[in-house]
Amino acid sequence: MDSATSDRPAASDRAALSATADNGLKIVVVGGFGVGKTTMVRSVSEVRPLSTEETMTRAGEAVDDLDGVQAKTSTTVAFDFGRITLDERSVLYLFGAPGQERFWFLWDRLFSGTLGAVVLVDTRRLADSWYAIDRLEHHGTPFIVACNDFGGPLHSEQQIREALDLSDDVPLVECDARDRSSSKYVLITLVEHLAALSAARLLAAPEAALAAAAPTPEPAP
């Protein structure tokens, strides 16, 4: 998929970070090789994103699986970084993780301090997303799944959930990572999911406290 993005902010609109911003929030975009992580970060960042893309060479043919992405000419070798100002005090930092297996060792560091994650999926290569979901579940990091539109065969939501072994409480959305409004919708869905999880924990906390404070029944004589 062409990585050109739509509705990008003009250079004159990319204001410097406000001096009042003191609340940094971190979200990570993960997924398989060539699913559009760099493209998504580029499409929503209000500043020129930091990118560590390098030209792919024949030296990587023996270690990188190019099945389904033969037209790809560059790849992320560390991470992508973008920024979105939420209000005068809060700013969202967006990190895109590298997709190739040889760079997966970087993921655990990127997950540190993360509020949540977007698992970007190419429905033509669903198996490439298994590792990302496994690592997020291992870290206990909340996530949603976004299916990037590559024009492949259509799958029902149930088919995708079954293929990725997703529980019903994990949001699943469709998107076009090249489109800014579509990528923003993905991030809003993640934030709403995080808010719902936080509210559920707050509701559960008093009940857990009451259960812990309840007297232990005396054993029957």
Side-chain angles (χ1 to χ4, degrees), residues 133-216:
I133 293 173
D134 177 72
R135 295 311 300 166
L136 290 168
E137 291 177 341
H138 173 77
H139 282 270
T141 303
F143 66 92
I144 68 167
V145 173
C147 297
N148 197 9
D149 182 13
F150 283 87
L154 296 177
H155 301 280
S156 69
E157 178 178 332
Q158 187 59 33
Q159 287 175 323
I160 295 173
R161 287 190 178 276
E162 290 178 357
L164 298 177
D165 194 23
L166 289 181
S167 61
D168 292 337
D169 60 342
V170 176
L172 175 64
V173 298
E174 296 180 354
C175 73
D176 183 341
R178 299 167 297 182
D179 182 75
R180 189 166 188 252
S181 61
S182 181
S183 295
K184 285 173 63 177
Y185 170 72
V186 171
L187 297 181
I188 290 170
T189 301
L190 174 59
V191 171
E192 290 176 343
H193 179 54
L194 296 174
L197 292 176
S198 178
R201 285 194 295 268
L202 290 175
L203 288 174
E207 296 178 3
L210 287 173
T216 303

Side-chain angles (χ1 to χ4, degrees), residues 54-99:
E54 295 292 342
T55 301
M56 298 178 65
T57 67
R58 290 187 177 180
E61 291 180 354
V63 290
D64 292 330
D65 182 6
L66 299 180
D67 186 30
V69 288
Q70 291 88 346
K72 190 171 176 59
T73 59
S74 61
T75 184
T76 300
V77 297
F79 60 85
D80 303 302
F81 173 78
R83 190 191 79 198
I84 303 172
T85 299
L86 303 178
D87 55 39
E88 290 185 355
R89 306 197 68 86
S90 300
V91 60
L92 177 67
Y93 297 117
L94 192 61
F95 290 81

Side-chain angles (χ1 to χ4, degrees), residues 72-131:
K72 190 171 176 59
T73 59
S74 61
T75 184
T76 300
V77 297
F79 60 85
D80 303 302
F81 173 78
R83 190 191 79 198
I84 303 172
T85 299
L86 303 178
D87 55 39
E88 290 185 355
R89 306 197 68 86
S90 300
V91 60
L92 177 67
Y93 297 117
L94 192 61
F95 290 81
Q100 304 101 304
E101 183 175 354
R102 57 193 168 116
F103 296 126
W104 284 351
F105 70 93
L106 295 169
W107 285 25
D108 288 349
R109 291 294 184 91
L110 286 177
F111 291 163
S112 178
T114 299
L115 286 178
V118 174
V119 179
L120 202 56
V121 169
D122 178 354
T123 55
R124 302 170 303 173
R125 300 177 288 124
L126 287 171
D128 290 357
S129 303
W130 291 345
Y131 179 80

